[in-house]
Amino acid sequence: MLTRLKAKSERKVAKQICKVVLDHFEKEYSRELGDAWHTVRDILTSPSCWQYAVLLNRFNYPFELEKDLHLKGYHSLFQGSLPYYPKSMKCYLSRTPHRMPSERHQTGNLKKYYLLNAASLLPVLALELRDGEKVLDLCAGPGGKSIALLQCAYPGYLHCNEYDSLRLRWLRQTLESFIPQPLVNVIKVSELDGREMGDSQPETFDKVLVDAPCSNDRSWLFSSDSQNAACRISQRRNLPLLQIELLSHFNIEEEKKQHFQHIILYYFKKGKNATEMQKKDLCSVWRRCCG
């Protein structure tokens, strides 16, 4: 089975690097990372070197695929190395760079596995979700972390929110592809501004997962639209402020507040080129959540 999947993957057209984005990265990251940028650049521009974990779907378990993964040298991810790792979560990683193709969406048929970066599972596991808990996935699109949460436990209520309309469509399709109908009844999907949800729904959730919007450098680097890529490069300057605003609208435990202050101070120091409006916004966030 794995051999057939690999052959199918190799037939795909190679990705093309967007020069506008690469030039921007050369300027930005060579200054920030120094000599380390050369190594990062080699990995970033070589999709064949990217690592993808294979998260198996417990609602349509692929026993045959799991056997093939073992035979090919894949190993179980994180098992035994973290304080919280539920037995129901099965995730495998190849010891050599390799990517399996994604499964096609078929209405009425549940997919057997989901591909994601292994690091994406860390915030999910850090949440330590238990059966019956009410949980909010604030920036849920395209759905990978929501799927991972449901591999860990059966929540009493799962609210998946995504403000971006395109990612919202991906989110709905992902949930349909991986989650059986009875479980869908405890899931709500919304398209709300995450910065307003903390005030509009206070004390609603036991736990909140905030995978704040980030630059997603790999997808931008291989954007086929240079004009759109240039626009997104301009927009990414405001991402740190958006990230802080999303985090600030949910209660912060006292022991985490000092760490949050350090994050904001970091952006002040890095923000020498920030506009006066951005600096005022950061001051407002500081007063609201750290004052």
Side-chain angles (χ1 to χ4, degrees):
M1 179 179 181
L2 202 58
T3 303
R4 295 198 304 270
L5 290 171
K6 183 177 179 181
K8 180 179 178 181
S9 179
E10 290 174 346
R11 290 197 295 268
K12 290 189 176 182
V13 179
K15 294 176 178 285
Q16 298 297 314
I17 293 175
C18 179
K19 188 175 184 303
V20 173
V21 178
L22 182 59
D23 289 346
H24 174 76
F25 287 170
E26 292 278 11
K27 180 180 178 181
E28 186 80 12
Y29 289 137
S30 60
R31 182 176 67 250
E32 292 186 11
L33 302 177
D35 293 340
W37 164 239
H38 300 296
T39 302
V40 174
R41 185 187 189 280
D42 289 343
I43 298 296
L44 196 61
T45 56
S46 304
S48 61
C49 294
W50 299 352
Q51 272 291 32
Y52 290 88
V54 183
L55 178 65
L56 304 186
N57 185 13
R58 66 167 167 167
F59 304 113
N60 187 21
Y61 204 79
F63 292 99
E64 180 186 347
L65 175 60
E66 186 176 35
K67 292 178 182 178
D68 285 344
L69 291 174
H70 282 299
L71 291 173
K72 295 292 184 180
Y74 279 70
H75 61 95
S76 183
L77 195 63
F78 302 135
Q79 199 124 36
S81 61
L82 296 176
Y84 172 84
Y85 194 95
K87 293 181 179 179
S88 56
M89 174 178 278
K90 300 290 186 180
C91 191
Y92 291 91
L93 189 67
S94 174
R95 299 187 186 279
T96 57
H98 174 259
R99 177 177 179 173
M100 294 171 57
S102 299
E103 292 182 283
R104 290 182 179 275
H105 172 72
Q106 295 181 329
T107 303
N109 292 328
L110 297 183
K111 293 184 179 181
K112 293 180 172 62
Y113 63 90
Y114 187 88
L115 301 180
L116 76 172
N117 295 318
S120 298
L121 291 176
L122 291 174
V124 172
L125 295 171
L127 207 61
E128 298 189 359
L129 184 64
R130 308 294 179 185
D131 289 349
E133 289 184 322
K134 297 177 182 178
V135 60
L136 167 64
D137 189 351
L138 187 64
C139 309
K145 290 183 177 64
S146 295
I147 295 303
L149 283 169
L150 291 164
Q151 305 304 313
C152 295
Y154 290 98
Y157 174 59
L158 172 60
H159 189 145
C160 302
N161 181 71
E162 177 54 55
Y163 189 56
D164 182 90
S165 57
L166 176 59
R167 292 172 67 86
L168 179 69
R169 289 199 296 273
W170 289 345
L171 171 62
R172 292 185 186 278
Q173 189 175 88
T174 299
L175 292 173
E176 181 184 335
S177 295
F178 285 89
I179 308 305
Q181 190 58 44
L183 198 55
V184 171
N185 296 332
V186 301
I187 300 174
K188 177 179 179 180
V189 178
S190 63
E191 189 178 3
L192 303 174
D193 187 333
R195 293 169 292 186
E196 300 174 358
M197 291 188 68
D199 295 328
S200 64
Q201 302 184 45
E203 301 181 8
T204 302
F205 304 99
D206 298 306
K207 293 174 179 176
V208 178
L209 177 64
V210 185
D211 181 22
C214 60
S215 58
N216 196 7
D217 288 348
R218 291 194 306 190
S219 81
W220 289 23
L221 182 58
F222 291 92
S223 172
S224 59
D225 187 339
S226 297
Q227 187 174 359
N228 185 44
C231 179
R232 292 172 72 181
I233 286 173
S234 177
Q235 293 172 348
R236 83 198 293 263
R237 297 190 184 97
N238 296 320
L239 282 175
L241 178 59
L242 175 59
Q243 292 164 350
I244 291 173
E245 287 179 333
L246 286 167
L247 291 169
S248 71
H249 282 79
F250 288 88
N251 292 332
I252 301 174
E253 297 173 14
E254 191 61 35
E255 61 267 23
K256 296 180 181 177
K257 187 173 288 188
Q258 184 177 4
H259 175 65
F260 196 78
Q261 290 172 341
H262 289 324
I263 293 174
I264 297 178
L265 283 172
Y266 169 80
Y267 285 122
F268 267 118
K269 292 176 182 177
K270 293 282 287 184
K272 294 179 180 178
N273 298 322
T275 65
E276 287 303 313
M277 181 62 72
Q278 288 172 326
K279 290 178 181 178
K280 288 180 180 178
D281 287 339
L282 279 171
C283 287
S284 174
V285 171
W286 175 278
R287 286 193 298 270
R288 183 165 63 247
C289 62
C290 300

